Every structure is written in structure tokens, then in C-alpha cells.
């Protein structure tokens, strides 16, 4: 067994102990989906696998406790994050990945940190994780899932654009808090789509 595989087995064992069963199952599913997308787009499989497995490592606590832990560890919390606490596990997850799981790779850390909101200038790994989290096989709620699952394997940027567009529309409709990072991410992909259509 190579080093990466032994590491993955150890990581899965730890996460299985620390996460609620459905969260662990979701993490596995995201990890496999990340690898499928990495194969499709010719990017690093090991990075994709680790990012997928660890992306929700911060979700072992309730939102209130995550907020307390962020404040305790000096992780900056924006007013929007304080209002929409469910997004904060991404930043806390980045901190945990770095400080408790010894992840040094800045690309993996970035993907974990922006997996709930997106951000301007996303890398391929950032996009792969964001999309895998949305389309993984255990998901069932979003109406546009079949289209996004197909599109994800055709065009990563267009998938980002469509997911962000529907997320913003949903948040506006239910009066939810919109993180500025999500708006910035959407504007980047919208601009790109316009340029491609020229
Ligand atoms: Fe998450
Ligand atoms: Fe997730």
C-alpha cells in the first residue's frame, strides 16, 4: 500500500470517529466526487481526495460552538458569517485541517475555506470541491441537481455560474443572508460567461 493510501485510511478512521454518521458518509461521497472531477479535468487526484474528505471536518460541532471556537482561536468572523452561522464551518474547518490534521497544502486549505461561499478567483480545486459538495450522489434536495451533475463533467466554470446563480436566487427569495464572497464569485463567473458568449 502506498503512503497516500495508508494516510487516507487513517484519515477516514479519524473522521468516522469524529463526525456524525451521515456527515461522514457525505464526506466520503464528496471525496469520491472530487476525484471523479479531478480525473475529468486532469488535476491532482490526491489533493482532491483529501480536500473532499476534510471539507466538513469543522462540522463536528453545532454552529454556536463553531462560532465560540473561531473567536477562541482568533479566526476572523465577518458580520455576515455571524448572521449566517452555517457557513462558518468552512473557515473553522480550514483552521482544523491546518492545526489538527497537519494539512500544509495551501490549495487544499483554500478549497476547504471557500467551500460554503465561493470567492473571487477560485482555483480548479476550489471549484471541484464546491461543485462536488453540491452534486455528490447522496444529495437530493436541489431541483437542478440532474442538470448540474451532467454539466459538472462538461464545463466547470459554467457549473459554478449556474450553482451560484441558483443559490443567490434562493437566498434572495427566502430573505437569507448573502455573503459578499458569494456575490463576488458569481460576478466573476457571470463576467466570464459573457466573454465566452461574445
Ligand atoms: Fe460544508
Ligand atoms: Fe459538505
Amino acid at each position: 500500500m502506498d503512503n497516500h493510501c495508508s494516510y487516507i485510511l487513517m484519515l477516514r478512521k479519524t473522521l468516522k470517529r469524529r463526525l456524525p454518521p451521515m456527515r461522514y458518509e457525505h464526506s466520503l461521497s464528496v471525496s469520491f466526487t472530487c476525484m471523479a472531477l479531478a480525473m475529468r479535468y486532469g488535476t491532482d487526484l490526491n489533493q482532491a481526495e483529501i480536500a473532499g474528505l476534510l471539507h466538513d471536518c469543522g462540522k463536528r460541532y453545532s454552529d454556536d460552538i463553531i462560532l465560540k471556537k473561531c473567536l477562541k482561536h482568533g479566526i476572523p468572523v465577518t458580520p455576515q458569517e455571524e448572521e449566517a452561522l452555517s457557513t462558518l464551518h468552512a473557515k473553522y474547518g480550514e483552521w482544523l485541517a491546518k492545526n489538527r490534521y497537519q494539512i500544509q497544502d495551501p490549495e487544499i486549505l483554500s478549497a476547504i475555506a471557500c467551500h460554503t461561499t465561493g470567492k473571487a478567483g477560485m482555483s480548479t480545486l476550489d471549484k471541484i470541491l464546491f461543485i462536488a459538495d453540491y452534486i455528490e450522489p447522496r444529495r437530493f434536495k436541489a431541483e437542478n441537481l440532474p442538470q448540474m451533475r451532467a454539466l459538472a463533467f462538461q464545463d466547470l466554470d459554467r457549473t459554478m455560474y449556474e450553482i451560484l446563480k441558483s443559490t443567490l436566487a434562493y437566498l434572495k427569495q427566502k430573505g437569507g443572508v448573502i455573503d459578499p464572497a458569494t456575490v463576488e464569485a458569481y460576478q466573476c463567473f457571470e463576467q466570464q460567461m459573457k466573454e465566452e458568449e461574445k
Side-chain angles (χ1 to χ4, degrees):
M1 200 186 302
D2 69 10
N3 282 346
H4 174 74
C5 194
S6 320
Y7 171 69
I8 290 296
L9 292 183
M10 185 271 296
L11 194 53
R12 283 197 203 148
K13 220 171 162 181
T14 308
L15 287 168
K16 193 172 188 178
R17 248 192 353 255
R18 291 183 180 167
L19 294 176
M22 290 312 289
R23 183 60 48 193
Y24 175 67
E25 187 61 31
H26 163 70
S27 303
L28 285 183
S29 222
V30 171
S31 180
F32 291 132
T33 307
C34 280
M35 284 196 283
L37 289 169
M39 282 185 212
R40 161 64 181 89
Y41 293 101
T43 57
D44 192 286
L45 292 177
N46 294 356
Q47 263 188 331
E49 183 171 26
I50 296 168
L53 273 179
L54 278 173
H55 83 287
D56 272 345
C57 67
K59 267 213 162 171
R60 62 181 297 209
Y61 303 110
S62 67
D63 290 343
D64 288 353
I65 293 178
I66 290 172
L67 176 61
K68 279 187 194 147
K69 288 191 177 277
C70 283
L71 299 175
K72 178 181 153 196
H73 296 300
I75 302 165
V77 178
T78 65
Q80 289 84 7
E81 285 166 336
E82 263 195 79
E83 265 191 87
L85 280 181
S86 61
T87 60
L88 199 54
H89 71 273
K91 259 194 193 171
Y92 178 57
E94 178 200 22
W95 186 90
L96 275 182
K98 196 174 178 181
N99 295 284
R100 298 285 184 264
Y101 293 87
Q102 280 72 49
I103 299 293
Q104 309 292 333
D105 184 337
E107 292 186 15
I108 295 177
L109 295 172
S110 161
I112 294 173
C114 71
H115 86 266
T116 53
T117 58
K119 66 177 180 182
M122 290 171 82
S123 71
T124 302
L125 184 63
D126 293 338
K127 295 174 203 169
I128 283 178
L129 179 58
F130 185 93
I131 292 169
D133 194 27
Y134 192 87
I135 66 166
E136 64 97 342
R138 306 262 182 253
R139 293 276 196 207
F140 59 92
K141 281 188 187 156
E143 269 178 27
N144 61 356
L145 266 177
Q147 295 87 337
M148 293 306 103
R149 282 174 175 148
L151 190 58
F153 289 87
Q154 293 160 19
D155 187 328
L156 220 45
D157 290 336
R158 187 160 288 277
T159 314
M160 283 300 308
Y161 169 70
E162 295 294 344
I163 292 176
L164 289 164
K165 188 165 75 171
S166 64
T167 302
L168 286 171
Y170 171 79
L171 287 172
K172 272 180 197 152
Q173 186 216 337
K174 80 163 198 173
V177 180
I178 295 175
D179 196 292
T182 307
V183 178
E184 284 166 24
Y186 174 70
Q187 285 168 346
C188 283
F189 290 106
E190 186 185 37
Q191 183 64 31
Q192 202 177 319
M193 293 305 112
K194 277 183 190 157
E195 276 163 24
E196 279 177 21
E197 277 158 23
K198 268 181 202 166

